[in-house]
Amino acid sequence: MSVIILFCLSFLLVEYISWHFKGEKVQKNTQIVMCFLLLFIFFGFRDLPILNDTAHYYRHVRHLFSNTPFDNTPWYTFDSSSNFEEGFQIFLRIIGLVISKEPYSLIIITSFITTASLLWFLNKSTSHVAFAVFVLMTSTLLLGYYSAIRQSLAVSVSYIFYWCYKNKYYKSAIMCGVVAYFFHHSSVMLILPVVLYHIPFTRRNILLIMATAIVVSLGIYKILSLLGYDDSKYLVTGMEREAVPLAQLLDTLFILACLLFYYIYGNKYKEEIEKGKLYVSFALSALIVNIWALPCLALFRFAMFFSQYAVVLFINSLYQAEADKRLKILKYAVVAILVLRILIVLIYRDEWFHLVPYSFFDFSLEHQKTLFGY
């Protein structure tokens, strides 16, 4: 457990070290390099019991690489009966054909892509990269990106989708949306922020949007049933729940707090809202999807495309608020609350992420155990 807490705190140390360099660009680049090394080593070489889906993907790839005659079929071959999306199947074949037939290569490669794309996104979004990683890690939002491997690849593509749409490269944005969809079908939700972007952000409209989100959440199972998902195992499991999942409630409240803080303390809010309206649309989508996920937990995965936008808005506003001496202590309060949060999760709810005890992958073992009861 202490390893995880020290890992989280290391990003605060990275920020402190970067301050000793002259020039904002040098400070930022220092943070990016050090954050990349920390994240890639920690997640790229994690043991199979770490995070919920690591062992499942390893087991699937081991079976695929052991039983697939790569030399006899084209690289773009995929199995239409598979539960995995076509793009991900082709991605696995390329790894097996070009890079390595070692099953663990998937974990290393996807961790590299996830880390690089996240830091590319943060580099374009904030000057406080290390603190952003700290918040994403201690709020546990970051853990989902490394656990849900197929979706993490789709999220990586979605950053390019955002950049293309923002810069009015609409054809390129559509292509990115299609590519993301073939890695994980949940990326169809990228339509949501695009729709919000074309709605004027008046206080009345925002209240109507949130009210609509709440109404949809109350009838979410009927809506999903009408869309043909009534036989989904995730839907059936969700309907059997008698209470709102605690983890989802915490995530929703956290995103709500981020957006409220941005609204209250973000300097020049009314001027920047239009300039960064697409960004705010992505952040608002995070809250909407989290509200939908309160009764239907399976929908929390859709929030992975949007939550980081809300976090960045919060962080940028937090550093702006720090200019007020009365709010100077605010950042320290945020650090204390988030460290306490992840500490409580590790102690009482480790089954949410399976981080304790942390260990690195042992490449010396000939046969890796992949069944851990989850």
Side-chain angles (χ1 to χ4, degrees):
M1 186 187 307
S2 58
V3 172
I4 308 301
I5 299 300
L6 288 173
F7 176 70
C8 293
L9 294 176
S10 67
F11 295 104
L12 298 181
L13 179 61
V14 167
E15 183 179 52
Y16 176 76
I17 292 172
S18 72
W19 290 342
H20 289 76
F21 294 93
K22 292 183 178 181
E24 183 178 329
K25 186 176 181 180
V26 176
Q27 291 177 359
K28 192 175 183 180
N29 288 339
T30 301
Q31 291 185 30
I32 291 171
V33 171
M34 295 181 73
C35 285
F36 178 85
L37 291 174
L38 286 168
L39 288 171
F40 179 59
I41 292 171
F42 184 86
F43 288 108
F45 297 93
R46 65 187 184 270
D47 204 356
L48 298 184
I50 306 301
L51 301 180
N52 297 342
D53 293 338
T54 306
H56 298 286
Y57 277 105
Y58 180 91
R59 186 167 60 249
H60 172 79
V61 175
R62 182 172 63 185
H63 176 77
L64 177 70
F65 286 2
S66 300
N67 297 280
T68 301
F70 286 106
D71 298 334
N72 299 331
T73 53
W75 61 271
Y76 50 84
T77 302
F78 61 86
D79 180 5
S80 58
S81 64
S82 173
N83 291 328
F84 290 161
E85 291 81 356
E86 297 85 346
F88 183 70
Q89 291 185 54
I90 294 171
F91 178 74
L92 292 181
R93 293 185 65 84
I94 291 173
I95 291 176
L97 278 167
V98 178
I99 301 174
S100 172
K101 289 186 174 62
E102 162 58 50
Y104 197 80
S105 59
L106 173 69
I107 310 300
I108 296 174
I109 293 168
T110 53
S111 295
F112 181 91
I113 294 172
T114 300
T115 303
S117 62
L118 173 67
L119 292 174
W120 180 82
F121 162 76
L122 293 177
N123 179 45
K124 289 186 171 294
S125 302
T126 180
S127 298
H128 316 289
V129 174
F131 192 75
V133 175
F134 167 80
V135 174
L136 287 168
M137 182 66 193
T138 49
S139 65
T140 68
L141 295 175
L142 190 62
L143 301 176
Y145 297 122
Y146 288 95
S147 178
I149 289 177
R150 283 150 47 225
Q151 193 166 6
S152 72
L153 294 171
V155 170
S156 297
V157 178
S158 76
Y159 296 139
I160 307 174
F161 169 87
Y162 166 81
W163 184 86
C164 289
Y165 200 90
K166 175 187 174 184
N167 291 284
K168 299 183 180 180
Y169 301 136
Y170 297 124
K171 291 182 180 179
S172 297
I174 292 171
M175 288 178 60
C176 288
V178 171
V179 171
Y181 180 81
F182 282 111
F183 274 112
H184 202 277
H185 291 165
S186 63
S187 57
V188 70
M189 194 55 68
L190 290 170
I191 294 172
L192 178 59
V194 172
V195 172
L196 293 177
Y197 177 66
H198 293 284
I199 298 175
F201 274 0
T202 62
R203 182 177 297 181
R204 176 179 175 274
N205 285 349
I206 291 176
L207 289 175
L208 284 173
I209 290 168
M210 299 319 301
T212 303
I214 293 171
V215 170
V216 169
S217 72
L218 295 176
I220 194 67
Y221 287 110
K222 290 184 179 179
I223 294 171
L224 291 174
S225 180
L226 289 173
L227 292 173
Y229 292 101
D230 50 326
D231 60 343
S232 167
K233 64 177 181 179
Y234 299 109
L235 190 60
V236 173
T237 302
M239 293 179 68
E240 292 174 351
R241 289 183 177 272
E242 297 180 356
V244 174
L246 178 58
Q248 182 54 44
L249 180 61
L250 290 174
D251 285 350
T252 305
L253 291 174
F254 177 68
I255 296 299
L256 176 61
C258 286
L259 292 177
L260 284 175
F261 190 91
Y262 166 68
Y263 180 82
I264 296 170
Y265 290 107
N267 289 336
K268 301 179 182 177
Y269 173 78
K270 291 181 180 178
E271 294 178 13
E272 293 181 354
I273 190 80
E274 289 302 326
K275 187 173 67 174
K277 188 180 176 184
L278 182 61
Y279 205 98
V280 177
S281 298
F282 271 73
L284 192 59
S285 297
L287 181 58
I288 293 171
V289 173
N290 272 289
I291 290 173
W292 292 346
L294 287 171
C296 185
L297 184 60
L299 296 181
F300 86 95
R301 286 182 175 268
F302 292 111
M304 286 176 58
F305 290 96
F306 313 123
S307 295
Q308 55 275 47
Y309 293 84
V311 169
V312 167
L313 289 180
F314 163 68
I315 289 169
N316 289 343
S317 301
L318 179 64
Y319 276 84
Q320 288 177 341
E322 263 198 321
D324 187 337
K325 292 181 179 179
R326 294 171 298 177
L327 299 173
K328 196 74 174 176
I329 196 174
L330 206 54
K331 180 181 174 182
Y332 301 104
V334 169
V335 169
I337 291 169
L338 288 175
V339 170
L340 181 62
R341 170 180 170 162
I342 194 169
L343 186 61
I344 292 173
V345 169
L346 293 175
I347 294 173
Y348 297 104
R349 288 290 187 270
D350 183 58
E351 69 273 12
W352 288 355
F353 304 105
H354 300 285
L355 283 174
V356 179
Y358 181 83
S359 57
F360 287 111
F361 184 75
D362 186 352
F363 288 93
S364 65
L365 296 178
E366 291 187 10
H367 184 76
Q368 298 287 342
K369 180 183 176 183
T370 59
L371 297 175
F372 302 102
Y374 52 86

